[in-house]
């Protein structure tokens, strides 16, 4: 079992755990090794856990789940299981649109409609009931 944190995650399941755009925050610290080790071990599970939102210094609520990572963001790894305060989703083996749908399901409810609209523009949203 591996449990790791993320700065943000995009609708493709890419995990950024190292930067805020081009601003370096932290190194990978072996996160990819732990993710792959758990993913490849018999019965192993890897969890990327993060809060669905954060508050900026000026009090603005922002989503950690983004349509795509900000330019310059570092892709630390990809997510097989993602956990927020709104639940857990298993992304292993899902198609792009299924992964997108699952990730949006654990986003903060205030940001889901916006994420769906962005996913539709990116042509990766297929769910008929929103």
């Amino acid at each position: 079992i591996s449990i790791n944190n993320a700065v943000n995650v995009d609708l493709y399941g890419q995990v950024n755990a190292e930067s805020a755009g081009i601003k370096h925050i932290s190194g990978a610290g072996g996160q990819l090794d732990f993710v792959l080790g758990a993913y490849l071990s018999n019965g192993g599970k890897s969890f990327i856990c993060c809060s669905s939102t954060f508050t900026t210094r000026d009090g603005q609520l922002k989503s950690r789940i983004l349509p795509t990572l900000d330019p310059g963001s570092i892709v630390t790894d990809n997510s097989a299981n993602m956990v927020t305060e709104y639940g857990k989703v298993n992304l292993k083996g899902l198609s792009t649109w299924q992964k997108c749908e699952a990730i949006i399901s654990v986003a903060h409810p205030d940001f889901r409609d916006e994420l769906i609209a962005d996913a539709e523009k990116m042509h990766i949203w297929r769910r008929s009931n929103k």
Side-chain angles (χ1 to χ4, degrees), residues 13-45:
Q14 298 179 115
V15 176
N16 167 22
E18 301 175 57
S19 67
I22 60 171
K23 181 182 176 192
H24 187 76
I25 295 173
S26 173
Q31 180 167 325
L32 179 59
D33 295 329
F34 284 101
V35 168
L36 287 174
Y39 186 84
L40 296 172
S41 68
N42 187 17
K45 290 181 175 49

Side-chain angles (χ1 to χ4, degrees), residues 38-60:
Y39 186 84
L40 296 172
S41 68
N42 187 17
K45 290 181 175 49
S46 175
F47 298 93
I48 300 296
C49 304
C50 64
S51 60
S52 64
T53 61
F54 67 96
T55 305
T56 62
R57 289 182 183 177
D58 61 357
Q60 191 177 14

Side-chain angles (χ1 to χ4, degrees), residues 29-129:
Q31 180 167 325
L32 179 59
D33 295 329
F34 284 101
V35 168
L36 287 174
Y39 186 84
L40 296 172
S41 68
N42 187 17
K45 290 181 175 49
S46 175
F47 298 93
I48 300 296
C49 304
C50 64
S51 60
S52 64
T53 61
F54 67 96
T55 305
T56 62
R57 289 182 183 177
D58 61 357
Q60 191 177 14
L61 189 67
K62 298 273 193 168
S63 180
R64 290 197 184 277
I65 299 172
L66 306 172
T68 59
L69 295 179
D70 293 329
S73 294
I74 299 167
V75 178
T76 308
D77 49 52
N78 64 346
S79 180
N81 291 289
M82 188 172 158
V83 181
T84 72
E85 66 273 29
Y86 294 99
K88 178 194 105 37
V89 289
N90 181 351
L91 306 174
K92 193 173 183 178
L94 298 182
S95 67
T96 301
W97 72 268
Q98 290 170 321
K99 192 177 294 188
C100 169
E101 179 181 296
I103 292 169
I104 290 172
S105 78
V106 295
H108 189 286
D110 291 351
F111 294 97
R112 290 180 190 169
D113 288 339
E114 183 180 336
L115 288 167
I116 289 169
D118 288 330
E120 286 174 333
K121 289 178 199 169
M122 296 162 52
H123 305 290
I124 58 171
W125 179 262
R126 293 194 183 167
R127 190 162 180 177
S128 60
N129 57 334

